[in-house]
Amino acid sequence: MPSFERVAAAAEAREASPQVVTVGGRTIGLFYHEGSFYAVDNRCPHMGFPLSDGSVEDGILTCPWHHARFELSCGDTLDPFADDVTTFPVEVREGEVYVDPDPEREVDPATHWQERLEHGLRESLPLVIDKAVIGLDDAGVDPAVSLRIGTAFGTEYRQDGWGSGLTTLAAMANLLPDLRPVDRRRALAVGLGAVADDCAGEPPFFVQDPLSTDRVSAERLTEWFRDTIEVRDADGAERVVRAAVEAASTPHEASEGRRPSGNRSTTGDGATGEAGLDESTLATMFVAAATDHRYLDSGHQLDFVNKAFELLDRIGWEHADAVLPSLVPGLADASRAEERSSWRQPVDVAELVEDAADDLPDLLARGEGTTWTEPEGFVDRLLGDDPHAVVDALTDAVAAGATGAQLASAVADAAARRVAQFGTANEFRDWNTVHHTYTYANAVCGLAGRTDDPALYRAVLDGAVSVYLDRFLNTPPIPLPTPDGDADPDAVLDDLLKTFEVEADETVGRAGRHTAEYLASGGDPARLKRALGEVLLREDAGFHPRQNVEAAFARYDAGRGRVHPVATARYLAAHTPTRREGEQTFRIAERLNRGEAIHEA
C-alpha cells in the first residue's frame, strides 16, 4: 500500500513554489504548476544540480545548469544526455500536501539500468554509460549482462564490423579477475564506452542470410570461406560463416557428405553440433583465412579474431551468429603485408614465409610422435639479424615435434623483448610498431589453444618475421633489468606508481626496473597487476595501452616470465600521464550514485 507522508500546507506550497522538502530520507522538489502539485527528485539526474533552482513552463521543468528538460508529471527527459528524473505520487488531503517517497516502480533497477546502458551506447554518452554500469553493479547484475549488451550493440551498429571498440571490450572483460573490485566497474565502462565511440555515426551492419544447405562438410565450408576472403567477397564470406555457425550449434547426426566430428561442441544454450563443425573448426576457418596472406592490417585482424572468440567464451557461444560474421568485413578488406615494401625489400621475407608454409606438411610428418622441449637460447635465435636463420629455427623445431602453442609462446616472448628493450630515442609512434607485433603474437597464443591446424604455424611464422623486422627499434637494445632481489616490495611498488605520474623518457626505464625488482624481491604478482590495472583505467589510455596490458597479463599468467610485465610497464609509462577525462566522468557518475552535491565546493 502507498505510504504517503505530509510535506506541506497546500496554500503555502502554492504561494512558495517550488519548495524543497525531505521525506522518507529523500530530498524532493515540490512544484505547483497549472493547478496541480508535482514532486520530483530534487537532484538533476544528469549532474545533480538542484532542480528547485530550475524553471517550469508549459509542463516542462528545465535544469538551469546544462538545460536538461523534463516532463514534470512523469519525469521523462527531452534531452538524451540526461536520465529521466524520478517522480513521486502526490495527494492533497484537507488542505495538506502528501507525497509517497517510496512508490512501487513499474521497472526494477536492473531493467532500468540495462535500458539506460542501451541508450548510452546509442547516443554515445559516456556519463550515461558510466551511470548504467554503476547502477547494474549496485543491483547485483552479473558483468556478463553488460558485456552481452555491448557486444550486441557493437556487432549490429557498425557496418565495418568488428573493430577496436569490441576488441577493447573483450580485453577489459579478460582483465576483470585481475582488478580491484572498484576498478572492475571502470573496466566495463571503458570497454562499453569504446564500443559506443567506435559505432558513433556509423551505418549499421546489414545481415546476410546463411547458406541454406545442410549437406556440406567442414572442410568444404573452410575452403569456401578462404576463397571468398581471398577475392574480398565479404557478402559471400558472411553467408558461409553463418552457415558454419548454424551447423556448429544445431544438434543432428552427421549426414551424407559430412565428416563425422570426433568431439562434441556445447554452445551457451546447451545445443551441440555433430556435423564436423565445432568451436575448434570455426577457429580453424578463421585462422586459415587470416593467414592466407601475411600479417593482415599490421596484425590487427588476427588479434580481432582471437578477441572475438575470447568474448564468446564470456558471453556464451549462443551469440556466435552475431559475433563471428562481424569479423568478415575486416578480413576481406585488410591490407596484406606482402604488398608492403618492408616485407619484400631488401629481403623478401614474405616469400620466405610462404616457402616455409609450403614445407609444413612434410615438417609435421617428420615431427609426428616426437616431443620438443624449447632449448636454451631459442628466443635469442628468434631475435637474430638473419631472417633465414629465424625461419630455420622454427621449421627445425616443427620437424622436431614442436607444437604450434610452444612456438607461439616463444615468438610472444621475443616480441615482449622488443618492447622491453625499445629505445626511447626512436620516434614515439614506433612504440606502436613493436606493440602490434606483441599483441599479434599474443593472439596466436590464444588461438593455439583452439586449433592445432597447420595454418596456425603460418601465423607463428608471420609473427617471427615481424619480430625480425622490428630489430632496428632495439638498436642498440636497452639492457633488460638485472634486479638485486633484496628490496622492499612495498617501497618498490610505490616508486613504480610514481613513474606513471611524470612524462619523461627516463621514467620508461625506471618503470621496467621497478617492475623487475618488485617481482624478484618476492612481490605479489596479483598486487602488481591490480596496481597496473588501476593506472591503466584512470588514464585516457587509448586502444593500444589497453591491448598491451591485457596481453602482458595473459602471457605472464601462462608462466612466460617477468619480461612481459616489464615490457608493459615500460609501454604504459611511455603513454602516461594523460588528461584523465574519462576518469573525471566516471568519478562524477560515482558521486551522483552516492548522492553527493557535485555543484558545491
Side-chain angles (χ1 to χ4, degrees), residues 522-543:
D524 180 7
R527 187 180 176 199
L528 174 65
K529 289 193 287 185
R530 287 194 296 271
L532 292 176
E534 180 182 357
V535 172
L536 176 72
L537 293 169
R538 79 183 180 206
E539 303 288 347
D540 303 323
F543 180 45

Short mmCIF file of all heavy atoms in Angstrom, two decimals, residues 522-543:
data_model
loop_
_atom_site.label_atom_id
_atom_site.label_comp_id
_atom_site.label_asym_id
_atom_site.label_seq_id
_atom_site.Cartn_x
_atom_site.Cartn_y
_atom_site.Cartn_z
N GLY A 522 60.14 -10.79 -4.39
CA GLY A 522 59.05 -11.54 -3.77
C GLY A 522 57.73 -10.82 -3.72
O GLY A 522 56.82 -11.23 -2.98
N GLY A 523 57.58 -9.73 -4.49
CA GLY A 523 56.31 -9.03 -4.52
C GLY A 523 55.21 -9.90 -5.11
O GLY A 523 55.46 -10.75 -5.97
N ASP A 524 54.00 -9.68 -4.64
CA ASP A 524 52.86 -10.47 -5.09
C ASP A 524 52.47 -10.06 -6.51
O ASP A 524 52.09 -8.91 -6.74
CB ASP A 524 51.69 -10.22 -4.14
CG ASP A 524 50.44 -11.02 -4.52
OD1 ASP A 524 50.52 -11.85 -5.44
OD2 ASP A 524 49.39 -10.80 -3.88
N PRO A 525 52.54 -10.98 -7.48
CA PRO A 525 52.18 -10.62 -8.86
C PRO A 525 50.74 -10.12 -8.97
O PRO A 525 50.46 -9.23 -9.78
CB PRO A 525 52.37 -11.93 -9.63
CG PRO A 525 53.35 -12.72 -8.82
CD PRO A 525 53.06 -12.36 -7.39
N ALA A 526 49.83 -10.67 -8.18
CA ALA A 526 48.44 -10.23 -8.24
C ALA A 526 48.33 -8.77 -7.83
O ALA A 526 47.54 -8.00 -8.41
CB ALA A 526 47.57 -11.11 -7.34
N ARG A 527 49.11 -8.37 -6.84
CA ARG A 527 49.08 -6.97 -6.41
C ARG A 527 49.66 -6.06 -7.49
O ARG A 527 49.15 -4.96 -7.71
CB ARG A 527 49.88 -6.83 -5.11
CG ARG A 527 49.78 -5.44 -4.49
CD ARG A 527 50.57 -5.35 -3.21
NE ARG A 527 50.55 -4.00 -2.67
CZ ARG A 527 51.41 -3.53 -1.80
NH1 ARG A 527 52.38 -4.33 -1.32
NH2 ARG A 527 51.34 -2.28 -1.35
N LEU A 528 50.70 -6.52 -8.15
CA LEU A 528 51.28 -5.74 -9.25
C LEU A 528 50.25 -5.54 -10.36
O LEU A 528 50.09 -4.43 -10.87
CB LEU A 528 52.52 -6.45 -9.81
CG LEU A 528 53.15 -5.82 -11.05
CD1 LEU A 528 53.71 -4.45 -10.74
CD2 LEU A 528 54.24 -6.73 -11.63
N LYS A 529 49.54 -6.60 -10.69
CA LYS A 529 48.53 -6.48 -11.74
C LYS A 529 47.41 -5.53 -11.33
O LYS A 529 46.92 -4.76 -12.16
CB LYS A 529 47.99 -7.87 -12.10
CG LYS A 529 49.00 -8.73 -12.85
CD LYS A 529 48.37 -9.96 -13.46
CE LYS A 529 48.01 -10.99 -12.45
NZ LYS A 529 47.49 -12.23 -13.09
N ARG A 530 47.00 -5.59 -10.08
CA ARG A 530 45.97 -4.66 -9.62
C ARG A 530 46.45 -3.22 -9.76
O ARG A 530 45.69 -2.33 -10.15
CB ARG A 530 45.57 -4.96 -8.18
CG ARG A 530 44.74 -6.23 -8.00
CD ARG A 530 44.10 -6.30 -6.64
NE ARG A 530 45.07 -6.38 -5.56
CZ ARG A 530 45.58 -7.51 -5.09
NH1 ARG A 530 45.20 -8.67 -5.59
NH2 ARG A 530 46.45 -7.49 -4.09
N ALA A 531 47.72 -2.99 -9.41
CA ALA A 531 48.27 -1.63 -9.47
C ALA A 531 48.36 -1.14 -10.91
O ALA A 531 47.98 -0.01 -11.23
CB ALA A 531 49.65 -1.59 -8.81
N LEU A 532 48.87 -1.99 -11.82
CA LEU A 532 48.96 -1.59 -13.22
C LEU A 532 47.58 -1.40 -13.82
O LEU A 532 47.36 -0.50 -14.63
CB LEU A 532 49.74 -2.65 -14.01
CG LEU A 532 51.23 -2.78 -13.68
CD1 LEU A 532 51.86 -3.93 -14.47
CD2 LEU A 532 51.98 -1.48 -13.96
N GLY A 533 46.63 -2.24 -13.41
CA GLY A 533 45.26 -2.07 -13.88
C GLY A 533 44.66 -0.76 -13.42
O GLY A 533 43.94 -0.08 -14.18
N GLU A 534 44.94 -0.39 -12.18
CA GLU A 534 44.44 0.89 -11.66
C GLU A 534 44.99 2.05 -12.48
O GLU A 534 44.25 2.98 -12.84
CB GLU A 534 44.84 1.05 -10.19
CG GLU A 534 44.36 2.33 -9.56
CD GLU A 534 44.82 2.48 -8.11
OE1 GLU A 534 45.46 1.54 -7.58
OE2 GLU A 534 44.53 3.53 -7.52
N VAL A 535 46.29 2.01 -12.79
CA VAL A 535 46.90 3.07 -13.60
C VAL A 535 46.26 3.12 -14.98
O VAL A 535 45.89 4.19 -15.49
CB VAL A 535 48.42 2.84 -13.72
CG1 VAL A 535 49.03 3.82 -14.72
CG2 VAL A 535 49.09 2.99 -12.36
N LEU A 536 46.13 1.97 -15.60
CA LEU A 536 45.56 1.90 -16.95
C LEU A 536 44.17 2.52 -17.00
O LEU A 536 43.84 3.28 -17.92
CB LEU A 536 45.51 0.45 -17.41
CG LEU A 536 44.84 0.18 -18.76
CD1 LEU A 536 45.74 0.68 -19.89
CD2 LEU A 536 44.52 -1.30 -18.92
N LEU A 537 43.34 2.21 -16.01
CA LEU A 537 41.94 2.59 -16.07
C LEU A 537 41.69 4.03 -15.66
O LEU A 537 40.66 4.61 -16.00
CB LEU A 537 41.11 1.64 -15.21
CG LEU A 537 41.07 0.20 -15.75
CD1 LEU A 537 40.46 -0.74 -14.72
CD2 LEU A 537 40.28 0.14 -17.04
N ARG A 538 42.61 4.63 -14.93
CA ARG A 538 42.40 6.03 -14.55
C ARG A 538 42.83 6.97 -15.67
O ARG A 538 42.50 8.15 -15.67
CB ARG A 538 43.18 6.36 -13.27
CG ARG A 538 44.66 6.61 -13.51
CD ARG A 538 45.43 6.87 -12.25
NE ARG A 538 46.84 7.10 -12.52
CZ ARG A 538 47.81 6.88 -11.65
NH1 ARG A 538 47.52 6.40 -10.45
NH2 ARG A 538 49.06 7.13 -11.97
N GLU A 539 43.63 6.47 -16.62
CA GLU A 539 44.14 7.30 -17.70
C GLU A 539 43.25 7.20 -18.93
O GLU A 539 42.50 6.25 -19.11
CB GLU A 539 45.57 6.86 -18.08
CG GLU A 539 46.57 6.89 -16.94
CD GLU A 539 46.98 8.29 -16.50
OE1 GLU A 539 46.67 9.26 -17.24
OE2 GLU A 539 47.60 8.42 -15.44
N ASP A 540 43.38 8.21 -19.81
CA ASP A 540 42.76 8.13 -21.13
C ASP A 540 43.71 7.34 -22.02
O ASP A 540 44.30 7.85 -22.98
CB ASP A 540 42.53 9.53 -21.71
CG ASP A 540 41.67 10.40 -20.81
OD1 ASP A 540 40.74 9.86 -20.19
OD2 ASP A 540 41.94 11.62 -20.73
N ALA A 541 43.87 6.07 -21.66
CA ALA A 541 44.97 5.29 -22.19
C ALA A 541 44.84 5.02 -23.68
O ALA A 541 45.84 4.88 -24.39
CB ALA A 541 45.07 3.96 -21.43
N GLY A 542 43.66 4.89 -24.19
CA GLY A 542 43.50 4.58 -25.61
C GLY A 542 43.62 3.09 -25.88
O GLY A 542 43.87 2.27 -25.00
N PHE A 543 43.45 2.76 -27.13
CA PHE A 543 43.33 1.37 -27.57
C PHE A 543 44.60 0.56 -27.31
O PHE A 543 44.55 -0.53 -26.71
CB PHE A 543 42.99 1.37 -29.07
CG PHE A 543 42.85 0.01 -29.68
CD1 PHE A 543 42.14 -1.00 -29.04
CD2 PHE A 543 43.42 -0.27 -30.90
CE1 PHE A 543 42.00 -2.26 -29.61
CE2 PHE A 543 43.28 -1.51 -31.50
CZ PHE A 543 42.58 -2.51 -30.85
#
